[in-house]
Coordinates of all heavy atoms in Angstrom, one line a residue:
M1 N 5.0 43.6 -26.9 CA 6.3 43.0 -26.8 C 7.0 43.2 -28.1 O 6.5 42.9 -29.2 CB 6.2 41.6 -26.4 CG 7.0 40.6 -27.2 SD 6.9 38.9 -26.7 CE 5.6 38.4 -27.9
T2 N 8.2 43.9 -28.1 CA 9.0 44.0 -29.3 C 9.7 42.7 -29.6 O 9.9 41.9 -28.7 CB 10.0 45.1 -29.1 OG1 10.9 44.8 -28.1 CG2 9.4 46.5 -28.9
V3 N 10.0 42.6 -30.9 CA 10.7 41.3 -31.4 C 11.9 41.7 -32.2 O 11.8 42.7 -33.0 CB 9.7 40.5 -32.2 CG1 10.4 39.4 -32.9 CG2 8.5 40.0 -31.4
T4 N 13.0 41.0 -32.0 CA 14.2 41.1 -32.8 C 14.2 39.8 -33.7 O 14.3 38.7 -33.1 CB 15.4 41.3 -32.0 OG1 15.3 42.5 -31.2 CG2 16.7 41.4 -32.9
S5 N 14.3 40.0 -35.0 CA 14.3 38.8 -35.9 C 15.7 38.8 -36.5 O 16.2 39.8 -37.1 CB 13.3 38.9 -36.9 OG 12.0 38.8 -36.4
L6 N 16.4 37.7 -36.5 CA 17.7 37.5 -37.1 C 17.5 36.7 -38.4 O 17.0 35.5 -38.3 CB 18.6 36.8 -36.2 CG 18.8 37.5 -34.8 CD1 19.8 36.6 -33.9 CD2 19.3 38.9 -34.9
L7 N 17.7 37.2 -39.5 CA 17.6 36.5 -40.8 C 19.0 36.2 -41.2 O 19.8 37.1 -41.7 CB 16.9 37.3 -41.8 CG 16.5 36.6 -43.1 CD1 15.6 35.4 -42.8 CD2 15.9 37.5 -44.1
D8 N 19.4 34.9 -41.0 CA 20.8 34.5 -41.3 C 20.9 34.0 -42.8 O 20.2 33.1 -43.1 CB 21.1 33.4 -40.3 CG 22.6 33.1 -40.2 OD1 23.3 33.0 -41.3 OD2 23.1 32.8 -39.1
L9 N 21.7 34.7 -43.6 CA 21.8 34.4 -45.0 C 23.2 34.0 -45.4 O 24.2 34.5 -44.8 CB 21.4 35.7 -45.8 CG 20.2 36.5 -45.4 CD1 20.3 37.9 -45.9 CD2 19.0 35.8 -45.9
R10 N 23.3 33.2 -46.5 CA 24.6 32.9 -47.1 C 24.4 33.1 -48.6 O 23.6 32.5 -49.2 CB 25.0 31.5 -46.8 CG 26.4 31.2 -47.4 CD 27.0 29.9 -46.8 NE 27.2 30.0 -45.4 CZ 28.2 30.6 -44.7 NH1 29.1 31.2 -45.5 NH2 28.3 30.6 -43.4
F11 N 25.2 34.1 -49.1 CA 25.1 34.4 -50.5 C 25.9 33.3 -51.3 O 26.9 32.8 -50.8 CB 25.8 35.7 -50.9 CG 24.9 36.9 -50.4 CD1 25.2 37.6 -49.3 CD2 23.7 37.2 -51.1 CE1 24.4 38.7 -48.9 CE2 22.9 38.2 -50.7 CZ 23.3 39.0 -49.6
A12 N 25.4 32.9 -52.5 CA 26.0 32.0 -53.4 C 27.3 32.6 -53.8 O 27.4 33.8 -54.0 CB 25.1 31.6 -54.5
A13 N 28.3 31.8 -54.1 CA 29.6 32.3 -54.5 C 29.6 33.2 -55.7 O 30.3 34.2 -55.8 CB 30.6 31.1 -54.8
D14 N 28.7 32.9 -56.7 CA 28.6 33.7 -57.9 C 27.7 34.9 -57.7 O 27.5 35.7 -58.6 CB 28.0 32.9 -59.0 CG 26.7 32.2 -58.8 OD1 26.3 32.1 -57.6 OD2 26.0 31.9 -59.8
H15 N 27.3 35.2 -56.5 CA 26.5 36.4 -56.2 C 27.1 37.3 -55.1 O 26.4 38.1 -54.4 CB 25.0 36.0 -55.8 CG 24.2 35.6 -57.0 ND1 23.9 36.5 -58.0 CD2 23.8 34.4 -57.3 CE1 23.2 35.8 -58.9 NE2 23.1 34.5 -58.6
L16 N 28.4 37.1 -54.8 CA 29.0 37.9 -53.8 C 29.1 39.4 -54.2 O 29.2 40.3 -53.3 CB 30.4 37.4 -53.5 CG 30.4 36.1 -52.7 CD1 31.8 35.6 -52.5 CD2 29.7 36.2 -51.4
D17 N 29.1 39.7 -55.5 CA 29.1 41.1 -55.9 C 27.8 41.8 -56.0 O 27.6 42.9 -55.6 CB 29.8 41.2 -57.3 CG 31.3 40.9 -57.2 OD1 31.9 41.1 -56.1 OD2 31.9 40.4 -58.2
D18 N 26.8 41.0 -56.5 CA 25.4 41.6 -56.7 C 24.4 41.3 -55.6 O 23.5 42.0 -55.4 CB 24.9 41.3 -58.1 CG 24.7 39.8 -58.2 OD1 25.2 39.0 -57.5 OD2 24.0 39.4 -59.2
G19 N 24.7 40.3 -54.8 CA 23.8 39.9 -53.7 C 23.7 40.9 -52.6 O 22.5 41.3 -52.3
P20 N 24.8 41.4 -52.0 CA 24.6 42.4 -50.9 C 23.9 43.7 -51.3 O 23.0 44.1 -50.6 CB 26.1 42.6 -50.5 CG 26.7 41.3 -50.8 CD 26.1 40.8 -52.1
P21 N 24.2 44.2 -52.5 CA 23.5 45.4 -52.9 C 22.0 45.1 -53.1 O 21.1 46.0 -52.8 CB 24.1 45.9 -54.2 CG 25.5 45.3 -54.2 CD 25.3 44.0 -53.4
A22 N 21.7 44.0 -53.6 CA 20.3 43.6 -53.8 C 19.6 43.5 -52.4 O 18.4 44.0 -52.3 CB 20.2 42.3 -54.6
L23 N 20.2 42.9 -51.5 CA 19.7 42.8 -50.1 C 19.4 44.2 -49.6 O 18.3 44.4 -49.0 CB 20.6 42.0 -49.2 CG 20.2 42.0 -47.7 CD1 18.9 41.3 -47.5 CD2 21.3 41.4 -46.9
L24 N 20.4 45.1 -49.7 CA 20.2 46.4 -49.2 C 19.0 47.1 -49.8 O 18.2 47.9 -49.2 CB 21.4 47.3 -49.3 CG 22.6 46.7 -48.5 CD1 23.9 47.6 -48.8 CD2 22.3 46.7 -47.0
E25 N 18.8 46.9 -51.1 CA 17.6 47.5 -51.8 C 16.3 46.9 -51.3 O 15.4 47.6 -51.1 CB 17.8 47.3 -53.3 CG 16.6 47.9 -54.1 CD 16.5 49.4 -54.1 OE1 17.6 50.0 -53.9 OE2 15.4 49.9 -54.2
I26 N 16.3 45.6 -51.1 CA 15.1 44.9 -50.6 C 14.8 45.4 -49.2 O 13.6 45.6 -48.9 CB 15.4 43.4 -50.6 CG1 15.4 42.8 -52.1 CG2 14.4 42.6 -49.8 CD1 16.0 41.4 -52.2
L27 N 15.8 45.7 -48.4 CA 15.5 46.1 -47.0 C 15.0 47.5 -46.9 O 14.4 47.9 -45.9 CB 16.8 45.9 -46.2 CG 17.2 44.5 -45.9 CD1 18.5 44.4 -45.2 CD2 16.1 43.7 -45.2
T28 N 15.1 48.3 -48.0 CA 14.4 49.6 -48.0 C 12.9 49.5 -47.8 O 12.3 50.2 -47.1 CB 14.7 50.5 -49.2 OG1 14.3 49.8 -50.4 CG2 16.2 50.8 -49.3
V29 N 12.4 48.4 -48.5 CA 10.9 48.2 -48.4 C 10.6 47.6 -47.0 O 9.6 47.9 -46.4 CB 10.5 47.2 -49.5 CG1 9.0 46.8 -49.3 CG2 10.7 47.8 -50.8
T30 N 11.5 46.7 -46.5 CA 11.3 46.2 -45.1 C 11.2 47.3 -44.1 O 10.3 47.3 -43.2 CB 12.4 45.2 -44.8 OG1 12.5 44.2 -45.8 CG2 12.2 44.6 -43.4
R31 N 12.1 48.2 -44.2 CA 12.2 49.3 -43.2 C 10.9 50.2 -43.2 O 10.6 50.8 -42.2 CB 13.4 50.2 -43.5 CG 14.7 49.5 -43.1 CD 15.9 50.4 -43.3 NE 17.2 49.8 -42.9 CZ 18.0 49.2 -43.8 NH1 17.8 49.2 -45.1 NH2 19.1 48.6 -43.3
A32 N 10.3 50.2 -44.4 CA 9.0 51.0 -44.5 C 7.8 50.2 -44.1 O 6.7 50.8 -44.0 CB 8.9 51.5 -45.9
F33 N 7.9 48.9 -43.9 CA 6.8 48.1 -43.6 C 6.2 48.5 -42.2 O 7.0 48.8 -41.2 CB 7.2 46.6 -43.6 CG 6.0 45.7 -43.7 CD1 5.5 45.4 -45.0 CD2 5.4 45.2 -42.6 CE1 4.4 44.5 -45.1 CE2 4.3 44.3 -42.8 CZ 3.8 44.0 -44.0
D34 N 4.9 48.5 -42.1 CA 4.2 48.8 -40.8 C 4.8 48.0 -39.7 O 4.8 46.7 -39.7 CB 2.7 48.5 -40.9 CG 2.0 48.9 -39.7 OD1 2.3 50.0 -39.1 OD2 1.1 48.2 -39.3
G35 N 5.2 48.6 -38.6 CA 5.7 47.9 -37.4 C 7.2 47.7 -37.4 O 7.7 47.3 -36.4
C36 N 7.9 48.0 -38.5 CA 9.3 47.8 -38.5 C 10.0 49.0 -37.8 O 9.8 50.2 -38.1 CB 9.9 47.7 -39.9 SG 11.7 47.4 -40.0
L37 N 10.8 48.7 -36.8 CA 11.5 49.7 -36.0 C 12.9 50.0 -36.5 O 13.6 50.9 -36.1 CB 11.5 49.3 -34.5 CG 10.2 49.1 -33.9 CD1 10.4 48.5 -32.5 CD2 9.4 50.4 -33.8
G38 N 13.4 49.1 -37.4 CA 14.7 49.3 -38.0 C 15.3 48.0 -38.4 O 14.9 46.9 -37.9
V39 N 16.3 48.1 -39.3 CA 17.0 46.9 -39.7 C 18.5 47.2 -39.9 O 18.8 48.3 -40.5 CB 16.5 46.4 -41.1 CG1 17.3 45.1 -41.6 CG2 15.0 46.1 -41.1
D40 N 19.3 46.4 -39.3 CA 20.8 46.5 -39.4 C 21.3 45.3 -40.2 O 20.7 44.2 -40.1 CB 21.5 46.6 -38.1 CG 21.0 47.8 -37.3 OD1 21.1 48.9 -37.8 OD2 20.6 47.6 -36.1
V41 N 22.3 45.4 -40.9 CA 22.9 44.3 -41.6 C 24.4 44.2 -41.2 O 25.1 45.1 -41.2 CB 22.9 44.5 -43.1 CG1 23.5 43.3 -43.9 CG2 21.4 44.7 -43.6
V42 N 24.7 43.0 -40.7 CA 26.1 42.7 -40.3 C 26.7 41.5 -41.1 O 25.9 40.6 -41.6 CB 26.2 42.4 -38.8 CG1 25.8 43.6 -38.0 CG2 25.3 41.2 -38.4
T43 N 28.0 41.6 -41.4 CA 28.7 40.6 -42.2 C 29.7 39.9 -41.4 O 30.5 40.6 -40.6 CB 29.3 41.2 -43.4 OG1 28.3 42.0 -44.1 CG2 30.0 40.2 -44.3
D44 N 29.9 38.6 -41.5 CA 30.9 37.8 -40.9 C 32.3 38.4 -41.3 O 32.5 38.5 -42.5 CB 30.7 36.4 -41.3 CG 31.6 35.4 -40.5 OD1 32.8 35.7 -40.3 OD2 31.2 34.3 -40.3
V45 N 33.1 38.7 -40.4 CA 34.4 39.3 -40.7 C 35.4 38.3 -41.4 O 36.3 38.7 -42.1 CB 35.2 39.8 -39.4 CG1 34.4 41.0 -38.9 CG2 35.4 38.8 -38.4
T46 N 35.1 37.0 -41.3 CA 36.0 36.0 -42.0 C 35.3 35.4 -43.2 O 35.9 34.6 -43.9 CB 36.4 34.9 -41.0 OG1 35.3 34.2 -40.5 CG2 37.2 35.5 -39.9
D47 N 34.0 35.7 -43.4 CA 33.2 35.0 -44.5 C 32.2 36.0 -45.1 O 31.1 36.2 -44.6 CB 32.5 33.8 -44.0 CG 31.7 33.1 -45.1 OD1 31.8 33.5 -46.2 OD2 31.1 32.1 -44.7
P48 N 32.6 36.8 -46.1 CA 31.7 37.8 -46.7 C 30.4 37.3 -47.3 O 29.5 38.0 -47.5 CB 32.6 38.5 -47.7 CG 33.6 37.5 -48.1 CD 33.9 36.7 -46.9
A49 N 30.3 36.0 -47.5 CA 29.1 35.4 -48.0 C 28.1 35.3 -46.8 O 26.9 35.1 -47.1 CB 29.4 34.0 -48.6
H50 N 28.5 35.3 -45.6 CA 27.6 35.1 -44.4 C 27.2 36.5 -43.9 O 28.0 37.3 -43.4 CB 28.3 34.3 -43.4 CG 27.5 34.0 -42.2 ND1 28.0 33.8 -40.9 CD2 26.2 33.9 -42.0 CE1 27.1 33.6 -40.1 NE2 25.9 33.6 -40.7
V51 N 25.9 36.7 -44.0 CA 25.3 38.0 -43.6 C 24.1 37.8 -42.7 O 23.3 36.8 -42.9 CB 24.9 38.8 -44.9 CG1 24.2 40.1 -44.5 CG2 26.1 39.1 -45.8
I52 N 23.9 38.7 -41.8 CA 22.7 38.6 -40.9 C 22.0 39.9 -40.9 O 22.6 41.0 -40.7 CB 23.0 38.2 -39.5 CG1 23.7 36.8 -39.4 CG2 21.8 38.2 -38.6 CD1 24.2 36.4 -38.1
A53 N 20.7 39.9 -41.2 CA 19.8 41.1 -41.1 C 19.2 41.0 -39.8 O 18.5 40.0 -39.4 CB 18.8 41.1 -42.2
V54 N 19.4 42.1 -39.0 CA 18.9 42.2 -37.6 C 17.7 43.1 -37.7 O 17.9 44.3 -37.8 CB 20.0 42.7 -36.6 CG1 19.4 42.7 -35.2 CG2 21.2 41.8 -36.7
E55 N 16.5 42.6 -37.6 CA 15.3 43.4 -37.8 C 14.6 43.6 -36.4 O 14.5 42.6 -35.6 CB 14.3 42.6 -38.7 CG 14.9 42.2 -40.0 CD 14.0 41.3 -40.8 OE1 12.8 41.0 -40.3 OE2 14.4 40.8 -41.9
H56 N 14.1 44.8 -36.2 CA 13.4 45.1 -35.0 C 12.0 45.4 -35.3 O 11.7 46.3 -36.2 CB 14.1 46.3 -34.3 CG 15.6 46.0 -34.0 ND1 16.0 45.2 -32.9 CD2 16.7 46.4 -34.6 CE1 17.3 45.2 -32.9 NE2 17.8 45.9 -34.0
W57 N 11.1 44.8 -34.6 CA 9.6 44.9 -34.9 C 8.9 45.3 -33.6 O 9.2 44.9 -32.5 CB 9.1 43.6 -35.4 CG 9.6 43.2 -36.7 CD1 10.7 42.4 -37.0 CD2 9.2 43.7 -38.0 NE1 11.0 42.3 -38.3 CE2 10.1 43.1 -39.0 CE3 8.2 44.5 -38.4 CZ2 9.9 43.3 -40.3 CZ3 8.0 44.7 -39.8 CH2 8.9 44.1 -40.7
E58 N 7.8 46.1 -33.8 CA 6.9 46.5 -32.7 C 6.3 45.3 -32.0 O 6.1 45.4 -30.7 CB 5.8 47.4 -33.2 CG 6.3 48.8 -33.6 CD 5.1 49.7 -34.0 OE1 4.0 49.4 -33.6 OE2 5.4 50.6 -34.8
S59 N 6.0 44.3 -32.7 CA 5.4 43.1 -32.1 C 5.6 41.9 -33.0 O 5.9 42.0 -34.2 CB 3.9 43.3 -31.9 OG 3.2 43.4 -33.2
L60 N 5.3 40.7 -32.4 CA 5.3 39.5 -33.2 C 4.3 39.5 -34.3 O 4.6 39.0 -35.4 CB 5.1 38.3 -32.3 CG 5.2 36.9 -32.9 CD1 6.5 36.7 -33.5 CD2 4.9 35.8 -31.9
E61 N 3.2 40.1 -34.1 CA 2.1 40.2 -35.1 C 2.6 41.0 -36.3 O 2.3 40.7 -37.4 CB 0.8 40.8 -34.5 CG 0.2 39.9 -33.5 CD 0.8 39.9 -32.1 OE1 1.6 40.8 -31.8 OE2 0.6 39.0 -31.3
H62 N 3.3 42.1 -36.0 CA 3.9 42.9 -37.1 C 4.9 42.1 -38.0 O 4.9 42.1 -39.2 CB 4.5 44.2 -36.6 CG 3.6 45.2 -36.2 ND1 3.2 45.4 -34.9 CD2 2.9 46.2 -36.9 CE1 2.3 46.4 -34.9 NE2 2.2 46.9 -36.1
D63 N 5.7 41.4 -37.2 CA 6.7 40.5 -37.9 C 6.0 39.4 -38.7 O 6.4 39.2 -39.9 CB 7.7 39.9 -36.9 CG 8.8 39.1 -37.5 OD1 9.0 39.2 -38.7 OD2 9.6 38.5 -36.8
E64 N 5.0 38.8 -38.2 CA 4.3 37.7 -38.9 C 3.6 38.3 -40.1 O 3.6 37.6 -41.2 CB 3.3 37.0 -38.0 CG 4.1 36.2 -37.0 CD 3.1 35.5 -35.9 OE1 2.0 35.9 -35.8 OE2 3.6 34.5 -35.3
A65 N 3.0 39.5 -40.0 CA 2.4 40.1 -41.2 C 3.4 40.4 -42.3 O 3.1 40.1 -43.5 CB 1.7 41.4 -40.8
Y66 N 4.6 40.8 -41.9 CA 5.6 41.1 -42.9 C 6.0 39.7 -43.6 O 6.2 39.7 -44.8 CB 6.8 41.7 -42.2 CG 8.0 41.8 -43.1 CD1 8.1 42.7 -44.1 CD2 9.1 40.9 -42.9 CE1 9.2 42.7 -45.0 CE2 10.2 40.9 -43.7 CZ 10.3 41.8 -44.7 OH 11.4 41.9 -45.6
R67 N 6.3 38.7 -42.8 CA 6.7 37.4 -43.3 C 5.6 36.9 -44.3 O 5.9 36.3 -45.4 CB 6.9 36.4 -42.3 CG 7.9 36.8 -41.2 CD 9.3 36.7 -41.6 NE 10.1 37.5 -40.6 CZ 11.2 38.2 -40.8 NH1 11.7 38.2 -42.0 NH2 11.7 38.9 -39.9
A68 N 4.3 37.0 -43.9 CA 3.2 36.5 -44.8 C 3.2 37.3 -46.1 O 3.1 36.8 -47.2 CB 1.9 36.7 -44.1
W69 N 3.5 38.6 -46.0 CA 3.5 39.5 -47.2 C 4.7 39.1 -48.1 O 4.5 39.0 -49.3 CB 3.6 41.0 -46.8 CG 3.7 41.9 -47.9 CD1 2.7 42.3 -48.8 CD2 4.9 42.6 -48.3 NE1 3.2 43.2 -49.7 CE2 4.5 43.4 -49.5 CE3 6.2 42.6 -47.9 CZ2 5.5 44.2 -50.1 CZ3 7.1 43.4 -48.5 CH2 6.7 44.2 -49.6
R70 N 5.8 38.9 -47.5 CA 7.0 38.5 -48.3 C 6.8 37.1 -48.9 O 7.4 36.8 -50.0 CB 8.3 38.4 -47.4 CG 8.9 39.8 -47.2 CD 9.5 40.3 -48.5 NE 10.3 41.5 -48.2 CZ 10.6 42.5 -49.1 NH1 10.2 42.3 -50.3 NH2 11.3 43.5 -48.8
A71 N 6.1 36.2 -48.3 CA 5.8 34.9 -48.9 C 4.8 35.0 -50.0 O 4.7 34.0 -50.8 CB 5.3 34.0 -47.8
G72 N 4.1 36.1 -50.2 CA 3.1 36.2 -51.2 C 3.4 37.4 -52.1 O 4.4 37.4 -52.8
P73 N 2.6 38.4 -52.1 CA 2.7 39.5 -53.1 C 4.0 40.3 -52.9 O 4.4 41.0 -53.9 CB 1.5 40.4 -52.9 CG 1.0 40.0 -51.5 CD 1.4 38.6 -51.2
G74 N 4.6 40.3 -51.8 CA 5.8 41.1 -51.6 C 7.1 40.3 -51.8 O 8.2 40.7 -51.3
A75 N 7.0 39.1 -52.5 CA 8.2 38.3 -52.7 C 9.3 39.1 -53.3 O 9.1 39.9 -54.2 CB 7.9 37.1 -53.6
S76 N 10.5 39.0 -52.8 CA 11.6 39.9 -53.1 C 12.6 39.3 -54.2 O 13.3 40.0 -54.8 CB 12.4 40.2 -51.9 OG 13.1 39.0 -51.4
G77 N 12.6 38.0 -54.4 CA 13.5 37.3 -55.2 C 14.9 37.2 -54.6 O 15.9 36.8 -55.3
L78 N 15.0 37.5 -53.3 CA 16.3 37.3 -52.6 C 16.9 35.9 -52.7 O 18.1 35.8 -52.8 CB 16.2 37.7 -51.2 CG 17.5 37.7 -50.3 CD1 18.5 38.6 -50.9 CD2 17.2 38.0 -48.9
G79 N 16.0 34.9 -52.7 CA 16.5 33.5 -52.8 C 17.3 33.3 -54.0 O 18.2 32.4 -54.0
D80 N 17.2 34.0 -55.1 CA 18.0 33.8 -56.3 C 19.5 34.1 -56.0 O 20.3 33.7 -56.8 CB 17.5 34.8 -57.4 CG 16.1 34.4 -57.9 OD1 15.6 33.3 -57.6 OD2 15.5 35.3 -58.5
Y81 N 19.8 34.9 -55.0 CA 21.2 35.3 -54.7 C 21.8 34.4 -53.6 O 23.0 34.5 -53.4 CB 21.2 36.7 -54.2 CG 20.7 37.7 -55.2 CD1 19.4 38.1 -55.2 CD2 21.6 38.3 -56.1 CE1 18.9 39.1 -56.1 CE2 21.2 39.2 -57.0 CZ 19.8 39.6 -57.0 OH 19.4 40.6 -57.9
L82 N 21.0 33.5 -53.0 CA 21.5 32.8 -51.9 C 22.0 31.3 -52.2 O 21.5 30.7 -53.1 CB 20.4 32.7 -50.8 CG 19.8 34.0 -50.3 CD1 18.7 33.8 -49.3 CD2 21.0 34.9 -49.7
A83 N 22.8 30.8 -51.3 CA 23.4 29.5 -51.5 C 22.4 28.4 -51.0 O 22.4 27.3 -51.3 CB 24.7 29.3 -50.8
G84 N 21.4 28.9 -50.2 CA 20.4 28.0 -49.6 C 19.4 28.8 -48.9 O 19.5 30.1 -48.8
P85 N 18.4 28.2 -48.3 CA 17.3 29.0 -47.6 C 17.9 29.7 -46.4 O 18.8 29.1 -45.7 CB 16.3 27.9 -47.2 CG 16.9 26.6 -47.5 CD 18.1 26.8 -48.3
P86 N 17.4 30.9 -46.1 CA 17.8 31.6 -44.9 C 17.3 31.0 -43.6 O 16.3 30.2 -43.7 CB 17.3 33.0 -45.1 CG 16.1 32.8 -46.0 CD 16.4 31.6 -46.9
T87 N 17.9 31.3 -42.5 CA 17.4 30.8 -41.2 C 16.8 32.0 -40.5 O 17.5 33.1 -40.4 CB 18.5 30.2 -40.4 OG1 19.0 29.1 -41.1 CG2 18.0 29.7 -39.1
L88 N 15.6 31.9 -39.9 CA 15.0 33.0 -39.2 C 14.9 32.6 -37.7 O 14.5 31.5 -37.3 CB 13.6 33.2 -39.7 CG 12.8 34.3 -38.9 CD1 13.4 35.7 -39.0 CD2 11.3 34.3 -39.4
T89 N 15.4 33.5 -36.8 CA 15.3 33.3 -35.4 C 14.7 34.6 -34.9 O 15.1 35.7 -35.2 CB 16.7 33.2 -34.7 OG1 17.4 32.1 -35.3 CG2 16.6 32.9 -33.2
R90 N 13.6 34.4 -34.0 CA 13.0 35.6 -33.5 C 13.2 35.6 -31.9 O 13.0 34.6 -31.3 CB 11.5 35.5 -33.8 CG 11.3 35.7 -35.3 CD 9.8 36.0 -35.6 NE 9.2 34.8 -36.1 CZ 8.0 34.7 -36.6 NH1 7.3 35.8 -36.7 NH2 7.5 33.6 -37.0
L91 N 13.5 36.8 -31.4 CA 13.9 36.9 -30.0 C 13.1 38.0 -29.4 O 12.6 39.0 -30.1 CB 15.3 37.2 -29.9 CG 16.3 36.3 -30.6 CD1 17.7 37.0 -30.8 CD2 16.4 35.0 -29.9
T92 N 12.9 38.0 -28.1 CA 12.3 39.1 -27.4 C 13.2 39.4 -26.2 O 14.0 38.6 -25.8 CB 10.8 38.8 -27.0 OG1 10.2 40.0 -26.5 CG2 10.8 37.7 -25.9
D93 N 13.0 40.6 -25.6 CA 13.7 41.0 -24.4 C 13.4 40.0 -23.2 O 12.2 39.6 -23.1 CB 13.4 42.4 -24.0 CG 13.9 43.4 -25.0 OD1 14.9 43.1 -25.7 OD2 13.2 44.5 -25.1
V94 N 14.4 39.8 -22.4 CA 14.1 38.9 -21.2 C 13.0 39.5 -20.4 O 12.2 38.7 -19.8 CB 15.5 38.8 -20.4 CG1 15.2 38.0 -19.1 CG2 16.5 38.0 -21.3
A95 N 12.9 40.8 -20.3 CA 11.9 41.4 -19.4 C 10.5 41.1 -20.0 O 9.5 41.3 -19.2 CB 12.1 42.9 -19.4
S96 N 10.4 40.6 -21.2 CA 9.0 40.3 -21.8 C 8.6 38.9 -21.5 O 7.5 38.5 -21.8 CB 9.1 40.5 -23.3 OG 9.4 41.8 -23.6
F97 N 9.4 38.1 -20.8 CA 9.0 36.7 -20.4 C 7.7 36.8 -19.6 O 7.5 37.5 -18.7 CB 10.1 36.0 -19.6 CG 11.1 35.4 -20.5 CD1 12.4 35.9 -20.4 CD2 10.8 34.4 -21.4 CE1 13.4 35.3 -21.2 CE2 11.8 33.9 -22.2 CZ 13.1 34.3 -22.1

């Protein structure tokens, strides 16, 4: 079962210039992680501080392995650019119910 993970982020006001480029650099590693099918980044049209990374994973197990890696040796430092902790929502296709 494939998984789509939405990582909802809000950049701190003092990181609106350097935060988005840092995120894009961090996501190059995410895209290369085992099981990642791709990552898109979208920005709120009325609030440039609000960004969502839309990640596609081969399986929930691949996504969980990635999250565990990011929580440990693969820590990215992204939190330094954010106004608060990100929100993660994981979804699957309706046909996978």
Side-chain angles (χ1 to χ4, degrees):
M1 134 182 90
T2 61
V3 171
T4 299
S5 295
L6 306 178
L7 188 63
D8 196 318
L9 313 162
R10 182 166 300 280
F11 288 106
D14 58 338
H15 286 293
L16 290 178
D17 290 332
D18 60 345
L23 172 63
L24 295 178
E25 180 65 28
I26 289 164
L27 292 177
T28 61
V29 176
T30 304
R31 288 181 178 100
F33 199 87
D34 182 43
C36 183
L37 301 173
V39 180
D40 297 309
V41 179
V42 294
T43 304
D44 188 322
V45 295
T46 61
D47 181 3
H50 184 207
V51 175
I52 299 175
V54 183
E55 306 170 4
H56 303 282
W57 295 93
E58 286 182 27
S59 68
L60 183 58
E61 292 77 19
H62 284 96
D63 187 7
E64 288 176 343
Y66 170 74
R67 305 285 163 211
W69 178 76
R70 279 292 188 201
S76 67
L78 180 63
D80 296 343
Y81 298 93
L82 302 179
T87 302
L88 175 65
T89 304
R90 293 192 262 190
L91 309 162
T92 190
D93 293 331
V94 173
S96 297
F97 278 115

